[in-house]
Amino acid sequence: MINFVEELRWRGMIHDVMPGTEELMLKEMVTAYVGIDPTADSLHIGHLVGVMMLRHLQRCGHRPVVLVGGATGMIGDPSGKSQERNLLDEPTLRHNQECLKNQLAHFLDFASEIPNKALMVNNYDWMKEFSFLGFIRDVGKHITVNYMMAKDSVKKRLSGDGEGMSFTEFTYQLVQGYDFLQLYREHNCKLQMGGSDQWGNITTGTELIRRIAGGEAYALTCPLITKADGGKFGKTEQGNIWLDPERTTPYQFYQFWINVSDADASRYIRIFTLRDRQEIEALEAEHAQAPHLRLLQKALAHDLTCDVHSEADYNSAVEASEILFGKGTTETLRRLDEKTLLSVFDGVPRFNVAPAVLSDGCNVLDLLATHTTIFPSKGEARRTMKDGGVMINREKVTEETVITTQNILNNRYLLAQRGKKNYYLVVVADE
RNA sequence: GGGGAGAUUCCAGAGCGGUCAAAUGGGGCAGACUGUAAAUCUGUUGGCGCAGCCUUCGGAGGUUCGAAUCCUCCUCUCCCCA
């Protein structure tokens, strides 16, 4: 049995671990779980740390359990800034759960008949029938309010001059703790993992298991993923980076990882890929020699894009990136067939312009600021052009440039570019 | 209830009768440099038919040849005393 705790340790994925965990996991196959809120029908990369913990767990020969927080997700965890949530109706909940499972299947083996095959459970299943009286009698009486109030997440909310905390939120740790107890009883689950902000909630669970079941359970938390520049991990101006290709295209997903800063790349590659220590250290040495090649970012982007999407998606993302950031010219653009063109610019904002607009030629200013909203005003478009920041079909334009039907690619498209990174696809068609 | 301070362009914050589309800083955008990075430097940052014109300085009126700047009322914010 591979030493799971050691594996996470060198990867920098351990923030805190309860004494005895490592010994236990060397001795026997351990069932461990991570909770995920089913608030959407897709995971985003913020979830990936927990997923990777489970993935390593399974690879080390232990049994991973994903707990979908159908019940707890309705309450809202007071750890962190979360606000109280809306109730999900059951069909939505089930739908989300299915979608999450499909995504998780890229990382965890739910299917094979192996002793440590992954399992997914939903706490809504055991919480929905639990009556309030039942809960306070069977669970609540084993934990003192004093104990609950000593948790950091609670103390912060009680002391600060913030909004205070509702009873519902206060109860959250008990509900989560009960989940752990339930899994302990049903599946002999002895370990709960999560982000470092979950420590308090997890230990409420181990406490319940000790008091109610007389059992021994453990906790392991991972540091919260940060960015070297202080920004929030996994967020871009466009919002979350999702695993669902409908929400975040494979190209955007790939780009996210390619653009990770050097300072973060070393940490991320340990956390988000399965590469072993030797290989990573070799890569780092190479990267230090030739940082401009960005080997770490490329390895990260490769592994994740292939894991989450597919090899083919990875290849077209690389191809798209070469066209966009490489030596792509009007000529290369003209050579692209419609299908490739569309896949390269999938997810790029689109604008529709009637063919009549171009038939007699149209000044770029009007095209970019009147017929489309690529620029909010002509003044701004003019200024950016003066700086050489506007390109049509990858050719710089000035305010005198006139766009005609001659410029159209594949009978339908114009590629407008604002600065180096902002692309817009103008579709020339009646609609 | 009494007294005081204030409301300025994305934000912070100058301006206190003409020279104000409004200093300066931040942020944004673009350019150079680069590795699609960081740092740095440069330009730009109300709109338009752009050497000119139009709309902006909490709201409504007024004084004046002329107001972001002065007066009146209103709305809101902050501070101090009850």
Side-chain angles (χ1 to χ4, degrees), chain A residues 191-208:
Chain A
L191 173 64
Q192 182 180 172
M193 305 187 290
S196 55
D197 57 333
Q198 290 299 308
W199 186 260
N201 292 332
I202 298 175
T203 51
T204 301
T206 60
E207 195 65 14
L208 270 179

Side-chain angles (χ1 to χ4, degrees), chain A residues 249-255 258 301-302 305-306 309-325 343-344:
Chain A
T249 64
Y251 167 73
Q252 293 167 324
F253 185 85
Y254 169 83
Q255 281 290 320
I258 278 290
H302 169 269
T305 310
C306 289
H309 300 291
S310 71
E311 182 98 36
D313 287 326
Y314 165 76
N315 287 330
S316 49
V318 172
E319 194 185 331
S321 303
E322 271 166 13
I323 292 168
L324 263 43
F325 299 105
S343 79
V344 168

Side-chain angles (χ1 to χ4, degrees), chain A residues 4 8 13 34 48-62 64 104-109 116 193 271-274 303-304 306-308:
Chain A
F4 172 69
L8 292 195
M13 293 173 77
V34 167
L48 235 36
V49 193
V51 174
M52 289 309 291
M53 285 199 279
L54 289 176
R55 191 180 197 188
H56 287 297
L57 182 89
Q58 190 167 39
R59 287 166 58 90
C60 289
H62 301 285
L104 288 165
H106 290 252
F107 294 90
L108 302 172
D109 185 349
N116 63 330
M193 305 187 290
I271 296 172
F272 296 113
T273 76
L274 295 176
D303 288 13
L304 279 151
C306 289
D307 279 343
V308 171

Side-chain angles (χ1 to χ4, degrees), chain A residues 74-98:
Chain A
M74 294 171 180
I75 302 176
D77 183 356
S79 327
K81 73 288 118 193
S82 1
Q83 297 169 340
E84 302 219 11
R85 313 242 171 101
N86 293 328
L87 257 111
L88 292 168
D89 57 74
E90 192 162 349
T92 310
L93 173 62
R94 296 303 175 192
H95 167 75
N96 291 353
Q97 177 175 351
E98 260 325 288

Side-chain angles (χ1 to χ4, degrees), chain A residues 338 350-358 367 371 405 408-414 425-431:
Chain A
E338 180 164 2
R350 292 193 186 191
F351 294 93
N352 221 284
V353 166
V357 172
L358 296 182
L367 182 71
H371 298 295
T405 45
I408 297 176
L409 303 169
N410 279 307
N411 295 319
R412 278 178 75 101
Y413 307 101
L414 280 171
L425 198 58
V426 179
V427 181
V428 186
D430 289 307
E431 217 158 305

